[in-house]
Amino acid sequence: MAIDIEPSWLRVLGSEFDKPYMVALREFLKTEKQSGAKIYPKNSDIFNAFNTTPFDKLEVVILGQDPYHGENQAHGLSFSVQKGITIPPSLRNIYKELQTDIPSFTPPNHGDLTEWAKQGVLLLNASLTVKAGMPGSHQKKGWENFTDAVIIKISEEKTGIVFILWGAFAQAKSELIDARKHHIIKSPHPSPFSADRGFFGSKPFSKTNAILEKEGKQPIDWQIH
């Protein structure tokens, strides 16, 4: 696994890549590939969230759990799929909430959220790889050490970041965030299993923009084209 990560992130995270857990993680991924396993996303997209949203331009974090495990779905951004791929149920519910939260929002015919990432929305999964057809297969292999370090570094080195935490897994990460310096928006997960229990109507997108505007920052244009 080649480390190809945007320079402002490399400055912040450089020391992580030499730590024992990362060395072990690289060995694990190498062994997986040598065994013939198909790993998603492709190598060049593993750090896509960082390469699309530089540390210096970061304003919002949306935390996911695992990359999608189907062919051509995952491309390194949480909740996002590549153009031409069926929009997953959770993302359909995100679009549904956007329609009521941001009245001008029109659901696009694809699930590529790159436009958000380019505006400073870090679409971060807790694990950055997965084995084809096996959700959760790369959890507890070292990725969480890395992405926890990412959250801690953001908390320490930035101020006024909006963290959007959907579901119990993401909300458990709030203990890594200094709530005196940052803003945390919590709700149930947009999954079909939990969206009706409080995700719908939670208005995370307008709340985020209200916070950004209050701090004199540019609001996010949530419309995807």
Side-chain angles (χ1 to χ4, degrees), residues 85-108:
I85 300 299
T86 302
I87 299 170
S90 290
L91 184 52
R92 283 198 182 281
N93 283 339
I94 289 170
Y95 287 168
K96 193 173 174 182
E97 173 62 15
L98 267 160
Q99 280 182 278
T100 58
D101 189 12
I102 310 285
S104 61
F105 180 82
T106 304

PDB file of all heavy atoms in Angstrom, residues 85-108:
ATOM      1  N   ILE A  85     -23.273   3.886 -10.347  1.00  0.00           N
ATOM      2  CA  ILE A  85     -23.587   2.815  -9.399  1.00  0.00           C
ATOM      3  C   ILE A  85     -24.899   3.157  -8.690  1.00  0.00           C
ATOM      4  O   ILE A  85     -25.160   4.314  -8.365  1.00  0.00           O
ATOM      5  CB  ILE A  85     -22.434   2.657  -8.376  1.00  0.00           C
ATOM      6  CG1 ILE A  85     -21.119   2.297  -9.087  1.00  0.00           C
ATOM      7  CG2 ILE A  85     -22.769   1.640  -7.308  1.00  0.00           C
ATOM      8  CD1 ILE A  85     -21.144   1.006  -9.861  1.00  0.00           C
ATOM      9  N   THR A  86     -25.717   2.149  -8.440  1.00  0.00           N
ATOM     10  CA  THR A  86     -26.985   2.357  -7.735  1.00  0.00           C
ATOM     11  C   THR A  86     -26.756   3.076  -6.407  1.00  0.00           C
ATOM     12  O   THR A  86     -25.840   2.730  -5.648  1.00  0.00           O
ATOM     13  CB  THR A  86     -27.681   0.998  -7.461  1.00  0.00           C
ATOM     14  OG1 THR A  86     -27.887   0.350  -8.714  1.00  0.00           O
ATOM     15  CG2 THR A  86     -29.015   1.195  -6.772  1.00  0.00           C
ATOM     16  N   ILE A  87     -27.577   4.069  -6.121  1.00  0.00           N
ATOM     17  CA  ILE A  87     -27.456   4.825  -4.865  1.00  0.00           C
ATOM     18  C   ILE A  87     -27.862   3.924  -3.699  1.00  0.00           C
ATOM     19  O   ILE A  87     -28.975   3.393  -3.685  1.00  0.00           O
ATOM     20  CB  ILE A  87     -28.343   6.090  -4.906  1.00  0.00           C
ATOM     21  CG1 ILE A  87     -27.898   7.008  -6.064  1.00  0.00           C
ATOM     22  CG2 ILE A  87     -28.281   6.839  -3.573  1.00  0.00           C
ATOM     23  CD1 ILE A  87     -28.850   8.151  -6.342  1.00  0.00           C
ATOM     24  N   PRO A  88     -26.977   3.716  -2.699  1.00  0.00           N
ATOM     25  CA  PRO A  88     -27.296   2.833  -1.578  1.00  0.00           C
ATOM     26  C   PRO A  88     -28.419   3.401  -0.711  1.00  0.00           C
ATOM     27  O   PRO A  88     -28.672   4.609  -0.690  1.00  0.00           O
ATOM     28  CB  PRO A  88     -25.987   2.769  -0.784  1.00  0.00           C
ATOM     29  CG  PRO A  88     -24.937   3.273  -1.713  1.00  0.00           C
ATOM     30  CD  PRO A  88     -25.611   4.248  -2.615  1.00  0.00           C
ATOM     31  N   PRO A  89     -29.116   2.527   0.046  1.00  0.00           N
ATOM     32  CA  PRO A  89     -30.268   2.959   0.851  1.00  0.00           C
ATOM     33  C   PRO A  89     -29.967   4.090   1.838  1.00  0.00           C
ATOM     34  O   PRO A  89     -30.768   5.019   1.970  1.00  0.00           O
ATOM     35  CB  PRO A  89     -30.687   1.680   1.579  1.00  0.00           C
ATOM     36  CG  PRO A  89     -30.217   0.571   0.698  1.00  0.00           C
ATOM     37  CD  PRO A  89     -28.948   1.065   0.080  1.00  0.00           C
ATOM     38  N   SER A  90     -28.821   4.024   2.539  1.00  0.00           N
ATOM     39  CA  SER A  90     -28.505   5.090   3.506  1.00  0.00           C
ATOM     40  C   SER A  90     -28.365   6.436   2.812  1.00  0.00           C
ATOM     41  O   SER A  90     -28.820   7.462   3.322  1.00  0.00           O
ATOM     42  CB  SER A  90     -27.225   4.764   4.282  1.00  0.00           C
ATOM     43  OG  SER A  90     -27.433   3.699   5.164  1.00  0.00           O
ATOM     44  N   LEU A  91     -27.721   6.432   1.643  1.00  0.00           N
ATOM     45  CA  LEU A  91     -27.534   7.689   0.919  1.00  0.00           C
ATOM     46  C   LEU A  91     -28.863   8.193   0.363  1.00  0.00           C
ATOM     47  O   LEU A  91     -29.118   9.406   0.338  1.00  0.00           O
ATOM     48  CB  LEU A  91     -26.499   7.516  -0.191  1.00  0.00           C
ATOM     49  CG  LEU A  91     -26.133   8.772  -0.982  1.00  0.00           C
ATOM     50  CD1 LEU A  91     -25.730   9.920  -0.067  1.00  0.00           C
ATOM     51  CD2 LEU A  91     -25.010   8.470  -1.973  1.00  0.00           C
ATOM     52  N   ARG A  92     -29.733   7.290  -0.043  1.00  0.00           N
ATOM     53  CA  ARG A  92     -31.075   7.714  -0.478  1.00  0.00           C
ATOM     54  C   ARG A  92     -31.795   8.449   0.656  1.00  0.00           C
ATOM     55  O   ARG A  92     -32.474   9.456   0.440  1.00  0.00           O
ATOM     56  CB  ARG A  92     -31.906   6.502  -0.911  1.00  0.00           C
ATOM     57  CG  ARG A  92     -31.538   5.976  -2.268  1.00  0.00           C
ATOM     58  CD  ARG A  92     -32.604   5.087  -2.865  1.00  0.00           C
ATOM     59  NE  ARG A  92     -32.166   4.577  -4.159  1.00  0.00           N
ATOM     60  CZ  ARG A  92     -32.197   5.260  -5.290  1.00  0.00           C
ATOM     61  NH1 ARG A  92     -32.659   6.507  -5.292  1.00  0.00           N
ATOM     62  NH2 ARG A  92     -31.762   4.734  -6.405  1.00  0.00           N
ATOM     63  N   ASN A  93     -31.614   7.934   1.886  1.00  0.00           N
ATOM     64  CA  ASN A  93     -32.246   8.582   3.036  1.00  0.00           C
ATOM     65  C   ASN A  93     -31.588   9.925   3.363  1.00  0.00           C
ATOM     66  O   ASN A  93     -32.258  10.860   3.812  1.00  0.00           O
ATOM     67  CB  ASN A  93     -32.201   7.651   4.247  1.00  0.00           C
ATOM     68  CG  ASN A  93     -33.241   6.546   4.152  1.00  0.00           C
ATOM     69  OD1 ASN A  93     -34.223   6.668   3.420  1.00  0.00           O
ATOM     70  ND2 ASN A  93     -33.031   5.453   4.881  1.00  0.00           N
ATOM     71  N   ILE A  94     -30.285  10.022   3.128  1.00  0.00           N
ATOM     72  CA  ILE A  94     -29.591  11.310   3.296  1.00  0.00           C
ATOM     73  C   ILE A  94     -30.171  12.337   2.314  1.00  0.00           C
ATOM     74  O   ILE A  94     -30.471  13.481   2.685  1.00  0.00           O
ATOM     75  CB  ILE A  94     -28.068  11.134   3.095  1.00  0.00           C
ATOM     76  CG1 ILE A  94     -27.466  10.357   4.279  1.00  0.00           C
ATOM     77  CG2 ILE A  94     -27.372  12.482   2.924  1.00  0.00           C
ATOM     78  CD1 ILE A  94     -26.023   9.908   4.069  1.00  0.00           C
ATOM     79  N   TYR A  95     -30.366  11.926   1.079  1.00  0.00           N
ATOM     80  CA  TYR A  95     -30.968  12.816   0.084  1.00  0.00           C
ATOM     81  C   TYR A  95     -32.398  13.193   0.486  1.00  0.00           C
ATOM     82  O   TYR A  95     -32.836  14.338   0.302  1.00  0.00           O
ATOM     83  CB  TYR A  95     -30.986  12.153  -1.296  1.00  0.00           C
ATOM     84  CG  TYR A  95     -29.641  12.047  -1.986  1.00  0.00           C
ATOM     85  CD1 TYR A  95     -29.484  11.243  -3.118  1.00  0.00           C
ATOM     86  CD2 TYR A  95     -28.530  12.745  -1.532  1.00  0.00           C
ATOM     87  CE1 TYR A  95     -28.266  11.146  -3.788  1.00  0.00           C
ATOM     88  CE2 TYR A  95     -27.299  12.644  -2.183  1.00  0.00           C
ATOM     89  CZ  TYR A  95     -27.174  11.844  -3.310  1.00  0.00           C
ATOM     90  OH  TYR A  95     -25.961  11.737  -3.966  1.00  0.00           O
ATOM     91  N   LYS A  96     -33.137  12.219   1.033  1.00  0.00           N
ATOM     92  CA  LYS A  96     -34.515  12.473   1.461  1.00  0.00           C
ATOM     93  C   LYS A  96     -34.551  13.532   2.567  1.00  0.00           C
ATOM     94  O   LYS A  96     -35.374  14.447   2.556  1.00  0.00           O
ATOM     95  CB  LYS A  96     -35.129  11.153   1.951  1.00  0.00           C
ATOM     96  CG  LYS A  96     -36.628  11.171   2.128  1.00  0.00           C
ATOM     97  CD  LYS A  96     -37.134   9.756   2.442  1.00  0.00           C
ATOM     98  CE  LYS A  96     -38.609   9.758   2.779  1.00  0.00           C
ATOM     99  NZ  LYS A  96     -39.099   8.403   3.135  1.00  0.00           N
ATOM    100  N   GLU A  97     -33.627  13.406   3.527  1.00  0.00           N
ATOM    101  CA  GLU A  97     -33.544  14.396   4.608  1.00  0.00           C
ATOM    102  C   GLU A  97     -33.129  15.761   4.055  1.00  0.00           C
ATOM    103  O   GLU A  97     -33.641  16.795   4.481  1.00  0.00           O
ATOM    104  CB  GLU A  97     -32.565  13.916   5.677  1.00  0.00           C
ATOM    105  CG  GLU A  97     -32.252  14.924   6.782  1.00  0.00           C
ATOM    106  CD  GLU A  97     -33.476  15.337   7.612  1.00  0.00           C
ATOM    107  OE1 GLU A  97     -34.531  14.669   7.557  1.00  0.00           O
ATOM    108  OE2 GLU A  97     -33.376  16.367   8.306  1.00  0.00           O
ATOM    109  N   LEU A  98     -32.218  15.766   3.095  1.00  0.00           N
ATOM    110  CA  LEU A  98     -31.786  17.026   2.487  1.00  0.00           C
ATOM    111  C   LEU A  98     -32.957  17.755   1.836  1.00  0.00           C
ATOM    112  O   LEU A  98     -33.042  18.992   1.898  1.00  0.00           O
ATOM    113  CB  LEU A  98     -30.695  16.759   1.450  1.00  0.00           C
ATOM    114  CG  LEU A  98     -29.262  16.851   1.970  1.00  0.00           C
ATOM    115  CD1 LEU A  98     -28.291  16.130   1.054  1.00  0.00           C
ATOM    116  CD2 LEU A  98     -28.846  18.307   2.141  1.00  0.00           C
ATOM    117  N   GLN A  99     -33.883  17.008   1.231  1.00  0.00           N
ATOM    118  CA  GLN A  99     -35.027  17.637   0.564  1.00  0.00           C
ATOM    119  C   GLN A  99     -35.905  18.413   1.544  1.00  0.00           C
ATOM    120  O   GLN A  99     -36.472  19.450   1.187  1.00  0.00           O
ATOM    121  CB  GLN A  99     -35.875  16.575  -0.144  1.00  0.00           C
ATOM    122  CG  GLN A  99     -35.301  16.141  -1.476  1.00  0.00           C
ATOM    123  CD  GLN A  99     -36.199  15.124  -2.141  1.00  0.00           C
ATOM    124  OE1 GLN A  99     -36.152  13.940  -1.832  1.00  0.00           O
ATOM    125  NE2 GLN A  99     -37.037  15.573  -3.061  1.00  0.00           N
ATOM    126  N   THR A 100     -36.035  17.910   2.775  1.00  0.00           N
ATOM    127  CA  THR A 100     -36.849  18.623   3.756  1.00  0.00           C
ATOM    128  C   THR A 100     -36.030  19.664   4.527  1.00  0.00           C
ATOM    129  O   THR A 100     -36.556  20.688   4.946  1.00  0.00           O
ATOM    130  CB  THR A 100     -37.502  17.647   4.758  1.00  0.00           C
ATOM    131  OG1 THR A 100     -36.482  16.897   5.414  1.00  0.00           O
ATOM    132  CG2 THR A 100     -38.437  16.687   4.045  1.00  0.00           C
ATOM    133  N   ASP A 101     -34.735  19.399   4.669  1.00  0.00           N
ATOM    134  CA  ASP A 101     -33.872  20.299   5.437  1.00  0.00           C
ATOM    135  C   ASP A 101     -33.450  21.510   4.613  1.00  0.00           C
ATOM    136  O   ASP A 101     -33.408  22.642   5.106  1.00  0.00           O
ATOM    137  CB  ASP A 101     -32.640  19.506   5.908  1.00  0.00           C
ATOM    138  CG  ASP A 101     -31.774  20.272   6.889  1.00  0.00           C
ATOM    139  OD1 ASP A 101     -32.221  21.320   7.401  1.00  0.00           O
ATOM    140  OD2 ASP A 101     -30.648  19.818   7.159  1.00  0.00           O
ATOM    141  N   ILE A 102     -33.107  21.278   3.350  1.00  0.00           N
ATOM    142  CA  ILE A 102     -32.691  22.350   2.430  1.00  0.00           C
ATOM    143  C   ILE A 102     -33.716  22.353   1.292  1.00  0.00           C
ATOM    144  O   ILE A 102     -33.585  21.591   0.332  1.00  0.00           O
ATOM    145  CB  ILE A 102     -31.267  22.100   1.865  1.00  0.00           C
ATOM    146  CG1 ILE A 102     -30.264  21.797   2.987  1.00  0.00           C
ATOM    147  CG2 ILE A 102     -30.814  23.265   0.983  1.00  0.00           C
ATOM    148  CD1 ILE A 102     -29.816  22.966   3.815  1.00  0.00           C
ATOM    149  N   PRO A 103     -34.758  23.190   1.380  1.00  0.00           N
ATOM    150  CA  PRO A 103     -35.883  23.106   0.439  1.00  0.00           C
ATOM    151  C   PRO A 103     -35.491  23.197  -1.040  1.00  0.00           C
ATOM    152  O   PRO A 103     -36.185  22.656  -1.895  1.00  0.00           O
ATOM    153  CB  PRO A 103     -36.767  24.289   0.846  1.00  0.00           C
ATOM    154  CG  PRO A 103     -36.450  24.512   2.291  1.00  0.00           C
ATOM    155  CD  PRO A 103     -34.992  24.193   2.439  1.00  0.00           C
ATOM    156  N   SER A 104     -34.375  23.853  -1.337  1.00  0.00           N
ATOM    157  CA  SER A 104     -33.972  23.986  -2.742  1.00  0.00           C
ATOM    158  C   SER A 104     -33.251  22.741  -3.265  1.00  0.00           C
ATOM    159  O   SER A 104     -32.964  22.642  -4.459  1.00  0.00           O
ATOM    160  CB  SER A 104     -33.042  25.196  -2.901  1.00  0.00           C
ATOM    161  OG  SER A 104     -31.859  25.010  -2.119  1.00  0.00           O
ATOM    162  N   PHE A 105     -32.967  21.772  -2.377  1.00  0.00           N
ATOM    163  CA  PHE A 105     -32.191  20.588  -2.776  1.00  0.00           C
ATOM    164  C   PHE A 105     -33.002  19.681  -3.697  1.00  0.00           C
ATOM    165  O   PHE A 105     -34.142  19.339  -3.417  1.00  0.00           O
ATOM    166  CB  PHE A 105     -31.751  19.792  -1.543  1.00  0.00           C
ATOM    167  CG  PHE A 105     -30.947  18.555  -1.871  1.00  0.00           C
ATOM    168  CD1 PHE A 105     -29.577  18.637  -2.127  1.00  0.00           C
ATOM    169  CD2 PHE A 105     -31.565  17.310  -1.932  1.00  0.00           C
ATOM    170  CE1 PHE A 105     -28.850  17.502  -2.434  1.00  0.00           C
ATOM    171  CE2 PHE A 105     -30.834  16.166  -2.242  1.00  0.00           C
ATOM    172  CZ  PHE A 105     -29.469  16.268  -2.489  1.00  0.00           C
ATOM    173  N   THR A 106     -32.377  19.300  -4.793  1.00  0.00           N
ATOM    174  CA  THR A 106     -32.963  18.330  -5.719  1.00  0.00           C
ATOM    175  C   THR A 106     -32.075  17.091  -5.740  1.00  0.00           C
ATOM    176  O   THR A 106     -30.873  17.210  -6.023  1.00  0.00           O
ATOM    177  CB  THR A 106     -33.041  18.911  -7.151  1.00  0.00           C
ATOM    178  OG1 THR A 106     -33.781  20.134  -7.110  1.00  0.00           O
ATOM    179  CG2 THR A 106     -33.697  17.934  -8.100  1.00  0.00           C
ATOM    180  N   PRO A 107     -32.608  15.907  -5.441  1.00  0.00           N
ATOM    181  CA  PRO A 107     -31.764  14.710  -5.423  1.00  0.00           C
ATOM    182  C   PRO A 107     -31.116  14.457  -6.780  1.00  0.00           C
ATOM    183  O   PRO A 107     -31.810  14.488  -7.805  1.00  0.00           O
ATOM    184  CB  PRO A 107     -32.738  13.584  -5.062  1.00  0.00           C
ATOM    185  CG  PRO A 107     -33.894  14.265  -4.415  1.00  0.00           C
ATOM    186  CD  PRO A 107     -33.993  15.607  -5.061  1.00  0.00           C
ATOM    187  N   PRO A 108     -29.813  14.233  -6.810  1.00  0.00           N
ATOM    188  CA  PRO A 108     -29.146  13.916  -8.074  1.00  0.00           C
ATOM    189  C   PRO A 108     -29.435  12.466  -8.468  1.00  0.00           C
ATOM    190  O   PRO A 108     -29.978  11.696  -7.672  1.00  0.00           O
ATOM    191  CB  PRO A 108     -27.667  14.111  -7.742  1.00  0.00           C
ATOM    192  CG  PRO A 108     -27.573  13.801  -6.280  1.00  0.00           C
ATOM    193  CD  PRO A 108     -28.875  14.246  -5.668  1.00  0.00           C
TER     194      PRO A 108
END
